[in-house]
Amino acid sequence: MTRATGIGSMPGSDQAAFDEAVRVVLGSLPDLPHLPEVPGRGAPAGMLGRGLAVMASLGADLQPAGWRLTDAPGVDHRRARSLLAQDLDGLEEQAQDYTGTFKIQVAGPWTLAATVEKPRGDKLLSDVGARRELAQALAEGLRDHVRDVRRRLPGVDRLVVQVDEPMLAAVLDAAIPTASGFGRHRAVHPPEASQHLEWVLGAITDEGAEPWVHACAPSTPWGLVRGAGARGLSVDLDQLGARDHDQLGEALEAGETVVLGVVPTLDPDPEPTEKALVERVLRWLDMLGLDPATIGDRLLVSPTCGLAAASEPWTRRALQLATGSAGHLT
């Protein structure tokens, strides 16, 4: 059975918007709902803030240039942790009777390293020891986070943790600018990139959850991601190259999950039909030489990326289109 899911972020700017996002996700994605992110509430509620909120041991604060590691959590870091706990309280209240599969999301170690600064400036990416410490702190924090979610949602028999790594390709390609903006950080070698992902994905697996990796950036090294332990790959179909298609086909044949982003993220004109979306997925499977009847629930349909910048009406419609298309594929 082909299913539908969302990527994570939803529109809105206050706690009421989060509560509504939970209702929309639970109602529109019955087979695989997720914990919404509502970054319109401010940086502590965004992808990076959520990732730092999950992280164990290390502190952070918010500067004009962005997030920075500190000896102790600053007011914005405490706010990020408070918002996450508040969101989980809201989710627990609305999803207390939910049973089945559920998904949560967290920023990955390389996206955090490429965007968060060291205490004295410049990205963590510039310091081998700092980026190692960050990845290990994230892995340890995820253990507690997974346990907490399981406690709150006892009816969930399969918990998926989506690790968001939109910066991974840029990290490997030496495309992350230095603080001055005139240079680029050195490329991270694949063995180190894989090891840090292994720590994070391994911690998820150790807690009995299923690790997926999402990236809607071109040139994401899906072979490296699979080798590091990912059991699901979430992609934007528009960003895939020939090598990516091969890797995704191999993943499906190996019994792993692929989430195919085909529904537009922003309000489109004209709006795609379910028929058009289904035909696009079927053409992709045909190109890979895969029979839709043999794929089963290993293939999912989703929006191409997060929906934070979309209008509320389109957000609802996008999730409905994903679910409707998945139903036709089934």
Side-chain angles (χ1 to χ4, degrees), residues 54-56 109 132-146 196-204 207:
V54 168
M55 178 183 67
R132 179 190 306 118
E133 187 177 12
L134 174 73
Q136 292 172 342
L138 180 62
E140 189 59 33
L142 270 170
R143 295 179 186 275
D144 292 335
H145 186 44
V146 168
H196 288 205
L197 277 174
E198 283 178 24
W199 291 335
V200 172
L201 302 180
I204 295 167
E207 294 302 323

Side-chain angles (χ1 to χ4, degrees), residues 2 65 190 234 237 239 243 254 311 313 317:
T2 305
S234 179
L237 182 56
Q239 301 296 329
R243 183 178 299 178
S311 69
R317 181 61 180 147

Side-chain angles (χ1 to χ4, degrees), residues 220-276:
T220 298
W222 295 114
L224 183 150
V225 168
R226 292 180 65 211
R231 292 298 169 259
L233 309 177
S234 179
V235 306
D236 176 352
L237 182 56
D238 290 330
Q239 301 296 329
L240 300 181
R243 183 178 299 178
D244 302 322
H245 296 301
D246 291 340
Q247 287 290 343
L248 296 176
E250 290 176 11
L252 285 171
E253 290 180 328
E256 298 163 16
T257 299
V258 169
V259 182
L260 202 62
V262 293
V263 181
T265 295
L266 300 178
D267 304 46
D269 185 17
E271 178 184 306
T273 63
E274 289 181 6
K275 179 181 179 181

Side-chain angles (χ1 to χ4, degrees), residues 50-160:
R50 275 274 179 94
L52 293 171
V54 168
M55 178 183 67
S57 306
L58 301 177
D61 67 6
L62 191 59
Q63 298 294 310
W67 287 101
R68 179 183 66 179
L69 289 189
T70 55
D71 293 333
V75 62
D76 291 299
H77 192 190
R78 294 194 299 272
R79 173 64 174 155
R81 289 176 171 173
S82 176
L83 269 175
L84 176 57
Q86 187 174 327
D87 288 353
L88 289 172
D89 287 342
L91 172 68
E92 183 179 5
E93 180 178 351
Q94 293 197 51
Q96 56 184 322
D97 297 325
Y98 178 77
T99 59
T101 306
F102 194 81
K103 179 167 72 71
I104 58 177
Q105 304 82 224
V106 67
W110 290 112
T111 292
L112 288 172
T115 50
V116 176
E117 292 190 343
K118 298 180 296 183
R120 295 190 177 183
D122 213 346
K123 300 293 188 289
L124 289 169
L125 196 61
S126 65
D127 187 315
V128 174
R131 61 202 195 203
R132 179 190 306 118
E133 187 177 12
L134 174 73
Q136 292 172 342
L138 180 62
E140 189 59 33
L142 270 170
R143 295 179 186 275
D144 292 335
H145 186 44
V146 168
R147 293 172 195 154
D148 186 28
V149 173
R150 283 199 179 280
R151 177 182 61 81
R152 293 171 180 271
L153 301 178
V156 170
D157 55 16
R158 180 187 178 196
L159 181 63
V160 172

Side-chain angles (χ1 to χ4, degrees), residues 4 18 24 37 48 55 89 110 121 126 161 171 196 202 230 239 242 256 261-262 270 286 288 291 307 315 320 324:
F18 171 81
V24 170
E37 298 169 3
L48 300 180
M55 178 183 67
D89 287 342
W110 290 112
S126 65
V161 182
V171 165
H196 288 205
Q239 301 296 329
E256 298 163 16
V262 293
D286 183 62
L288 296 179
D291 182 354
L307 295 165
T315 297
Q320 291 169 357

